[in-house]
Amino acid sequence: MIIDCHGHYTTAPPALAAWRDRQIAALAGSAAAPVRADLRISDDELRETIEPNQLKLMDERGIDLTIFSPRASFMAHHVGGFETSSEWAALCNELCHRVSTLYPDRFAPAAMLPQSPGVDPATCLPELTRCVEEYGAVALNLNPDPSGGHWTAPPLTDRSWYPIYEKMVEYDIPAMVHVSTSVNPAFHTTGAHYLNADTTAFMQLVQGDLFTDFPALRLIIPHGGGAVPYHWGRFRGLAMALGKPELEDHVLGNVFFDTCVYHQPGSDLLFDVVPARNILFASEMIGAVRSVDPRTGHHFDDTRRYAEAKLSEADWAAIREHNARTVYPRLDALLKGQGR
């Protein structure tokens, strides 16, 4: 089977954005804050947003299941404070859970956290726990920069993040390290901030010794790792200069990359540089790049094509399914429970 480890609910019903607009307006004192019960979205409305969009493309591209999380740019942890993020995360996570309930064979939920700049990450634990225990979340998204492009948070190796890592290890779930909207005009959200963050997160992990403290922790760096594969020699050299082991020993037991790279040469580089065991199939379809490449006549985000053009059958089998079952044990258990 083909498992897409990187999907977001980018087509959520307009009522969700309208609720968020009211919440943001209330922060400015121009309106009363909405409550969760004000958001009314029927199952039919969810179907109307999923079936002609994500499901249609999954069927066309032969993708069996997508790990489905709230829209990354909508997380917007820089807006308001913890209470704002808490209400917003709860609503977004509930919708992804509902989609996975409507289509249990096609979607597995992943959770966003109610992060907020300058707030102790431990405040996210109740929502994390709720999503795993009540919604069956198989993963979470972890934003290394809740400030929205200003990078005020400590590096991922800082002990302030440890409560989240401890809970991840307890639940045996991984996290995708994924930033949200950039409000820094120097960084375009999807063209710069996302890729910068992928690269930055990897270097933070190279600099530290996080996996000595958490040998069972698993992190996925999306978008093919940003600049990481292209500058693998630089990172190897920097690791040596820092007195760290080779990258294979220092980080690759715990860090994985997805295939959200939208052209053949870039995908080939990823497959040539990073061991196949550390790569997970993903497309982030209906995401940052939605158009058709005029040079190929295919959608940029049809990443299956790039993988099949390059990989051996053994490596393709690992990347499309077996690695995901290893990195996401709760997903593997879910699939086995379904007879898959």
Side-chain angles (χ1 to χ4, degrees):
M1 67 185 302
I2 298 179
I3 299 169
D4 188 334
C5 77
H6 190 167
H8 299 298
Y9 199 177
T10 56
T11 61
L16 179 65
W19 190 97
R20 178 64 160 175
D21 288 343
R22 288 179 57 199
Q23 186 189 42
I24 294 172
L27 294 173
S30 59
V35 297
R36 294 183 203 177
D38 291 338
L39 182 64
R40 297 182 179 88
I41 297 175
S42 69
D43 286 352
D44 284 342
E45 289 178 285
L46 296 180
R47 293 187 182 97
E48 289 168 2
T49 64
I50 292 292
E51 291 181 3
N53 294 303
Q54 284 86 355
L55 266 183
K56 177 177 180 289
L57 290 177
M58 288 170 66
D59 289 341
E60 289 177 355
R61 301 176 188 181
I63 297 171
D64 296 285
L65 181 138
T66 295
I67 297 175
F68 206 50
S69 65
R71 184 174 181 174
S73 61
F74 267 29
M75 294 192 298
H77 294 119
H78 63 278
V79 174
F82 172 74
E83 291 300 325
T84 301
S85 290
S86 181
E87 291 290 295
W88 180 232
L91 283 178
C92 292
N93 288 332
E94 180 184 9
L95 287 185
C96 289
H97 164 65
R98 287 177 60 192
V99 169
S100 69
T101 300
L102 291 172
Y103 306 98
D105 295 337
R106 308 305 300 276
F107 296 96
M112 67 177 275
L113 298 178
Q115 297 176 246
S116 189
V119 177
D120 186 348
T123 57
C124 297
L125 296 183
E127 181 66 13
L128 192 165
T129 298
R130 187 177 72 88
C131 287
V132 173
E133 296 188 355
E134 297 181 21
Y135 290 167
V138 301
L140 57 91
N141 290 341
L142 183 67
N143 185 351
D145 172 39
S147 70
H150 293 291
W151 290 93
T152 59
L156 292 171
T157 51
D158 188 82
R159 296 191 68 87
S160 61
W161 296 99
Y162 277 28
I164 291 179
Y165 301 151
E166 290 165 358
K167 187 60 70 172
M168 287 171 57
V169 171
E170 176 186 339
Y171 283 134
D172 203 12
I173 60 170
M176 179 170 283
V177 180
H178 204 309
V179 290
S180 186
T181 299
S182 169
V183 292
N184 184 336
F187 301 123
H188 182 276
T189 293
T190 56
H193 186 41
Y194 282 16
L195 305 182
N196 292 345
D198 303 333
T199 309
T200 297
F202 185 78
M203 188 61 208
Q204 289 177 0
L205 298 173
V206 171
Q207 287 179 272
D209 294 293
L210 178 63
F211 305 120
T212 299
D213 289 342
F214 294 97
L217 187 68
R218 297 181 301 282
L219 301 174
I220 300 96
I221 298 181
H223 319 117
V228 173
Y230 191 76
H231 286 290
W232 195 252
R234 176 180 292 255
F235 290 111
R236 288 187 62 231
L238 289 170
M240 290 175 60
L242 292 167
K244 305 298 183 183
E246 280 280 359
L247 297 180
E248 289 80 0
D249 300 319
H250 186 44
V251 295
L252 288 191
N254 308 81
V255 176
F256 305 86
F257 303 84
D258 77 13
T259 64
C260 290
V261 179
Y262 295 151
H263 68 147
Q264 190 70 56
S267 298
D268 291 350
L269 177 70
L270 172 68
F271 299 138
D272 284 339
V273 171
V274 177
R277 67 179 182 275
N278 289 91
I279 303 175
L280 305 170
F281 176 76
S283 65
E284 198 178 4
M285 66 171 69
I286 316 185
V289 181
R290 307 185 183 192
S291 54
V292 172
D293 184 348
R295 298 183 182 179
T296 67
H298 297 278
H299 283 86
F300 284 100
D301 63 5
D302 186 2
T303 54
R304 177 178 177 177
R305 297 178 59 256
Y306 310 135
E308 290 183 329
K310 172 70 174 178
L311 296 169
S312 68
E313 177 53 34
D315 285 349
W316 175 223
I319 288 169
R320 73 182 182 233
E321 176 182 4
H322 303 312
N323 294 348
R325 286 179 178 268
T326 299
V327 176
Y328 298 81
R330 287 179 174 267
L331 173 64
D332 184 50
L334 175 66
L335 293 172
K336 287 177 178 176
Q338 297 172 343
R340 293 195 283 175

